[in-house]
C-alpha cells in the first residue's frame, strides 16, 4: 500500500501565486479541511509601484510568463493537484485564453489545475439562475474588460463593474473591508443576479460571505471559488460555515 503524507493524507495541493501576494495563502489555509495541505510556490513578481491602465496587462503577463517556473518548483513536493492563486492571467483572451493557460500548466506538470476564471463560472453554475453580473476588482479598466469578455464568452452579461485601480501589487492587500462595503452596495441592484470579486490579493473571503446575507444574493470571492473548485474536483465535499453559501451548501 502506498504511504500517504502524514498531514496531507487526503490531498496535497500545489499553489502558485505572485511573490507580492499576501492574501491568497492565508485565505486558502482558512478553508483547509483536515487532511488537505497547500504548498505555496511563489511566482517571481517585481512589485510595480506605478501600475496604470496601460501597464497592468504587461505586468500581469510577466507573472504569467514566470508561472511555469513556480510549477516546476512546487512539483518537487509531489503534489496531487495544482491551484492557481493569481486570477488575472486566467481571464486573458476570454475562454480560449483560459483554456490555453490551463493546458500549458497541465502539460508541464501532468496534473490537473483549478484556475480562478473557470472556478468562478463553476460557482455561478452551482448557485443556478445567474445571468447578470456585477464585477469588482483591484485591477484597472483595461483588465476588467478581459474579465467581462470571459464571462461574456460563458453566457453572462455584465451590468456594472468597478476597477479599484490599485497603484502597486502590494497595495491590493491594503484595501480594507470598510472601503469595500460601499462599493458592493453601489454595484448591487435589482438588475444584478450575483456579484463576483476577482483579484486574489484582495481580502474578500469573509466579507463576501457577510455580504451575501445583507444583499440577499450570491457574492463570490475568487479565492473561495478557486479553493472550493479544487476541493470538489478532488472529491472532497466537506461543508464549512463562515465562507458563504458556496462552501456551506455546494
Amino acid at each position: 500500500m502506498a504511504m500517504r503524507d502524514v498531514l496531507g493524507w487526503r490531498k496535497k495541493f500545489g499553489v502558485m501565486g505572485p511573490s507580492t501576494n499576501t492574501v491568497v495563502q492565508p485565505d486558502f489555509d482558512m478553508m483547509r479541511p483536515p487532511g488537505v495541505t497547500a504548498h505555496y510556490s511563489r511566482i517571481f513578481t517585481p512589485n510595480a509601484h506605478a501600475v496604470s491602465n496601460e501597464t497592468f496587462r504587461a505586468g500581469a503577463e510577466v507573472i504569467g510568463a514566470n508561472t511555469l517556473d513556480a510549477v516546476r518548483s512546487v512539483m518537487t513536493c509531489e503534489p496531487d493537484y495544482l491551484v492557481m492563486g493569481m486570477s488575472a492571467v486566467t481571464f486573458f483572451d476570454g475562454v480560449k485564453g483560459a483554456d490555453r493557460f490551463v493546458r500549458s500548466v497541465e502539460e508541464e506538470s501532468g496534473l490537473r489545475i483549478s484556475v480562478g476564471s473557470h472556478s468562478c463560472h463553476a460557482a455561478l453554475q452551482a448557485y443556478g439562475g445567474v445571468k447578470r453580473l456585477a464585477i469588482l476588482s483591484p485591477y484597472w479598466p483595461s483588465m476588467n474588460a478581459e474579465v467581462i469578455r470571459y464571462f461574456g464568452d460563458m453566457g453572462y452579461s455584465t451590468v456594472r463593474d468597478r476597477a479599484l485601480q490599485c497603484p502597486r501589487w502590494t497595495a491590493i492587500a491594503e484595501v480594507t473591508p470598510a472601503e469595500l462595503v460601499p462599493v458592493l452596495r453601489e454595484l448591487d441592484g435589482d438588475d444584478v443576479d450575483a456579484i463576483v470579486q476577482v483579484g486574489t490579493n484582495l481580502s474578500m473571503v469573509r466579507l463576501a460571505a457577510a455580504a451575501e446575507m445583507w444583499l440577499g444574493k450570491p457574492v463570490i470571492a475568487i479565492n473561495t471559488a478557486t479553493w472550493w473548485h479544487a476541493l470538489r474536483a478532488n472529491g472532497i465535499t466537506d461543508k464549512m460555515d463562515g465562507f458563504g453559501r458556496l462552501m456551506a451548501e455546494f
Side-chain angles (χ1 to χ4, degrees), residues 143-161:
M143 186 61 223
N144 269 28
E146 296 290 336
V147 178
I148 292 167
R149 175 182 175 182
Y150 171 87
F151 284 117
D153 287 349
M154 285 299 197
Y156 305 96
S157 62
T158 299
V159 178
R160 279 182 290 284
D161 73 290

Side-chain angles (χ1 to χ4, degrees), residues 76-87:
T76 61
C77 78
E78 299 186 355
D80 302 298
Y81 192 83
L82 298 179
V83 185
M84 185 61 179
M86 191 271 189
S87 60

Side-chain angles (χ1 to χ4, degrees), residues 29-82:
D29 281 343
M30 279 194 292
M31 298 181 284
R32 195 167 50 81
V36 177
T37 53
H39 308 282
Y40 198 82
S41 184
R42 305 186 79 83
I43 305 166
F44 177 71
T45 307
N47 186 25
H49 283 267
V51 178
S52 68
N53 203 45
E54 291 71 29
T55 64
F56 186 97
R57 176 161 182 154
E61 286 179 342
V62 169
I63 299 172
N66 290 339
T67 296
L68 292 184
D69 285 338
V71 171
R72 286 185 282 269
S73 178
V74 82
M75 286 300 296
T76 61
C77 78
E78 299 186 355
D80 302 298
Y81 192 83
L82 298 179

Side-chain angles (χ1 to χ4, degrees), residues 139-232:
Y139 305 153
W140 287 68
S142 60
M143 186 61 223
N144 269 28
E146 296 290 336
V147 178
I148 292 167
R149 175 182 175 182
Y150 171 87
F151 284 117
D153 287 349
M154 285 299 197
Y156 305 96
S157 62
T158 299
V159 178
R160 279 182 290 284
D161 73 290
R162 175 73 179 274
L164 298 177
Q165 302 185 34
C166 293
R168 62 190 186 281
W169 300 131
T170 52
I172 297 171
E174 297 165 5
V175 179
T176 66
E179 293 173 283
L180 293 169
V181 168
V183 177
L184 289 170
R185 293 194 183 278
E186 291 169 10
L187 287 169
D188 187 33
D190 293 338
D191 53 349
V192 168
D193 301 320
I195 298 175
V196 179
Q197 171 261 320
V198 300
T200 62
N201 207 27
L202 189 64
S203 183
M204 278 279 294
V205 165
R206 295 288 193 187
L207 177 58
E212 284 194 329
M213 292 187 286
W214 40 264
L215 293 178
K217 64 185 59 175
V219 180
I220 296 174
I222 196 162
N223 288 348
T224 305
T226 307
W227 188 251
W228 166 85
H229 186 270
L231 292 173
R232 301 303 183 255

